[in-house]
Amino acid sequence: MRYTENAFDLAELELRARQDKAEEEHQRRLMEISEKAPEIYRMYSESIRLNYALLGNIGKGRSGADISKKIAEIKDKNITLRRTMHEMLKACGYPEDYLQMHYQCEVCRDSGYHDGVRCECMKKLLKKYTTEEINSHCSIELHDFADFRPEYYSDIPVNGEIPREKMLSIYENCKNYALHFEADTSSMIFYGKTGLGKTFLSSCIAKELIDQGWNVVYGSLLKLMRQVEDERFNRTTGDTMSIMLESDLLILDDLGSEFQTQFTDSVLYELINERINERRPIIISTNLSIKELNKKYNDRIVSRITGCFRPSFFVGNDVRLVKLRNGIK
Ligand SMILES: [Zn+2]
């Protein structure tokens, strides 16, 4: 995956902040022990002094002097000292590693690199910031489930269904989907006319999952396709396609709004097919009916969607018009 330059800058800043925090907390614990248990603090200082002495002797050894006995002596002394220090810490009610540095990632000590290779924690940050950058181009506002207003949907039956009840049930489904999300959760498709809350509920799922720490790419299909196209034909740099393929959840808003070409159809198929094969979920919303979907897209795309996505049919009147009528912004 190709990460953006900005993502590297942000990841490095974040790692530096983590190292500073680890150092600050270490200093705070040292200060606390120096006040509350000065004997333990003296042991700690002595142990640090022994470490320096050890390094000094190793340096002398490199210049040819035989200092192996001296080195063994210092090592033994330090091990015994540390053992006693750990026991005393425990006796005073502290964890035995209380005076050690505590990093968020112990593998790379929050440096982002381990044995000259990029650490997993650094990769995770790069992915997170690259995804955030892609999402920021797609201008979909994120919402909270608490902002859902069932009163915008009518309680008068339409075709044997009460819109408010139906939408409350879809709302509960979406909330459960987000609260119990797993990497191989099923894919969903939201059908329904404009203004029934498809984008709203998708954005609630996106927000909840981002808050939980999942990697979510969301955006209008129109804008995401434009981005992929610009990158494919070198009009701009980036790797939106692989970010979309690899994210934990991909939300494609407004299927059918894209300027449809052979290129966009093949990208759409690649996205859906690869993610379904890899058991990575997608949420698609569309104003098209199943019939219109069949007319507009080729069989490969339609059969993947109708065969592998859980459908929800949104009903009611355009929420934006209801809000306008009631003077709600
Ligand atoms: Zn790491």
Side-chain angles (χ1 to χ4, degrees):
M1 183 188 290
R2 198 156 28 132
Y3 306 108
T4 61
E5 249 174 67
N6 221 6
F8 277 99
D9 291 346
L10 290 169
E12 270 159 26
L13 271 179
E14 165 92 34
L15 287 169
R16 211 169 304 145
R18 286 180 186 175
Q19 282 180 324
D20 289 350
K21 192 169 166 238
E23 180 59 38
E24 245 170 60
E25 282 176 5
H26 182 231
Q27 288 302 328
R28 186 193 55 74
R29 291 194 298 275
L30 283 177
M31 186 76 85
E32 181 191 353
I33 293 298
S34 76
E35 284 166 10
K36 291 187 181 161
E39 185 54 30
I40 298 178
Y41 184 73
R42 263 193 294 280
M43 283 181 176
Y44 173 82
S45 307
E46 175 62 8
S47 166
I48 296 293
R49 194 193 64 77
L50 287 172
N51 271 341
Y52 280 117
L54 187 66
L55 287 175
N57 276 288
I58 290 171
K60 278 184 207 162
R62 281 205 196 102
S63 61
D66 181 15
I67 39 73
S68 53
K69 204 175 148 206
K70 183 80 184 160
I71 287 178
E73 242 177 58
I74 299 175
K75 273 187 179 167
D76 282 349
K77 208 172 166 187
N78 209 0
I79 289 169
T80 313
L81 182 70
R82 284 196 165 259
R83 205 174 288 144
T84 316
M85 185 175 82
H86 291 160
E87 276 161 17
M88 283 179 73
L89 275 167
K90 274 204 280 186
C92 294
Y94 293 103
E96 62 174 33
D97 63 352
Y98 199 63
L99 295 183
Q100 281 168 22
M101 286 282 278
H102 293 171
Y103 296 99
Q104 202 159 318
C105 176
E106 295 293 344
V107 177
C108 68
R109 299 171 148 236
D110 294 341
S111 69
Y113 294 90
H114 175 60
D115 289 342
V117 179
R118 206 176 279 154
C119 182
E120 283 306 312
C121 70
M122 172 83 159
K123 287 187 198 163
K124 212 172 156 191
L125 284 173
L126 288 170
K127 200 171 166 185
K128 178 182 158 213
Y129 288 123
T130 304
T131 306
E132 276 180 10
E133 206 171 322
I134 290 172
N135 290 343
S136 72
H137 298 148
C138 290
S139 63
I140 286 184
E141 199 187 334
L142 292 186
H143 291 94
D144 202 283
F145 278 111
D147 299 334
F148 179 73
R149 292 284 170 270
E151 59 271 25
Y152 293 160
Y153 299 91
S154 161
D155 53 2
I156 299 163
V158 181
N159 300 329
E161 264 182 332
I162 300 172
R164 191 173 299 167
E165 279 180 10
K166 173 83 179 173
M167 289 312 299
L168 267 170
S169 136
I170 291 179
Y171 163 77
E172 287 299 333
N173 271 341
C174 290
K175 210 168 152 187
N176 283 331
Y177 184 91
L179 293 178
H180 303 112
F181 185 84
E182 280 172 30
D184 60 352
T185 307
S186 57
S187 292
M188 296 200 287
I189 178 157
F190 298 159
Y191 293 103
K193 286 180 288 176
T194 310
L196 296 183
K198 302 186 298 295
T199 305
F200 173 84
L201 282 176
S202 311
S203 81
C204 293
I205 295 174
K207 181 173 184 296
E208 172 61 35
L209 292 187
I210 289 168
D211 289 349
Q212 286 176 26
W214 295 97
N215 188 255
V216 183
V217 173
Y218 57 89
S220 75
L221 194 58
L222 175 81
K223 288 197 176 166
L224 288 170
M225 282 297 174
R226 218 174 264 161
Q227 186 77 16
V228 173
E229 206 168 23
D230 285 347
E231 288 164 10
R232 192 72 59 94
F233 298 110
N234 294 322
R235 291 193 284 262
T236 178
T237 56
D239 199 359
T240 302
M241 192 64 186
S242 54
I243 302 278
M244 285 202 283
L245 283 170
E246 289 174 31
S247 62
D248 295 319
L249 176 67
L250 171 65
I251 297 180
L252 299 175
D253 194 48
D254 217 357
L255 171 72
S257 66
E258 75 280 12
F259 181 68
Q260 196 182 13
T261 61
Q262 228 171 2
F263 175 79
T264 60
D265 271 7
S266 78
V267 168
L268 185 63
Y269 178 72
E270 189 183 338
L271 274 175
I272 294 176
N273 193 47
E274 280 204 26
R275 287 192 63 100
I276 296 287
N277 289 345
E278 298 287 327
R279 303 177 63 82
R280 292 199 179 111
I282 315 175
I283 294 179
I284 292 179
S285 71
T286 184
N287 296 343
L288 303 173
S289 64
I290 298 181
K291 204 173 150 192
E292 287 166 328
L293 214 64
N294 266 301
K295 238 190 204 166
K296 194 169 165 75
Y297 295 99
N298 61 49
D299 287 350
R300 298 194 308 166
I301 294 176
V302 178
S303 68
R304 268 323 213 170
I305 292 177
T306 49
C308 307
F309 285 62
R310 242 169 56 197
S312 287
F313 297 93
F314 285 52
V315 292
N317 294 318
D318 191 331
V319 168
R320 284 167 282 192
L321 296 177
V322 177
K323 281 183 178 175
L324 271 179
R325 226 173 281 141
N326 294 303
I328 306 163
K329 276 194 180 169

